[in-house]
Amino acid sequence: MYTVTMEKECACFIKSEYQKETSFQFQNQAYQYTTEVMELMNEEFCQTHMFYAEKSNDNEYIIRVAANNGSADSCSTDSCGSCGC
């Protein structure tokens, strides 16, 4: 099994249909899901955070969260502040 895990759940992620952890039988499925979800989150979420993926070990991909320094909004990774997401 191959696992895709969300590192931290920002408010936009919590409100989304995505799960914190998703498993796949094949590595190419996990990789494809990781890249698609990461791109969608970067395009559709409030832009307070940016998302990027890393392969953690042979069987796990992690979608990491980083502050978007170009964003004027302030949304924490635990709850939503003034960003309106």
Side-chain angles (χ1 to χ4, degrees), residues 20-80:
K20 180 172 176 66
E21 188 172 291
T22 308
S23 297
F24 297 90
Q25 184 175 359
F26 300 106
Q27 183 176 9
N28 63 336
Q29 293 172 320
Y31 175 77
Q32 183 176 358
Y33 177 82
T34 301
T35 56
E36 288 175 3
V37 167
M38 178 191 64
E39 288 173 9
L40 287 170
M41 289 189 303
N42 281 323
E43 292 171 4
E44 297 174 358
F45 284 8
C46 72
Q47 304 300 310
T48 300
H49 300 109
M50 297 303 296
F51 303 91
Y52 63 98
E54 281 184 359
K55 188 172 183 183
S56 174
N57 59 45
D58 288 341
N59 297 338
E60 183 178 27
Y61 291 91
I62 297 177
I63 299 175
R64 299 206 183 270
V65 180
N68 181 0
N69 294 331
S71 173
D73 293 331
S74 62
C75 182
S76 74
T77 55
D78 295 324
S79 62
C80 191

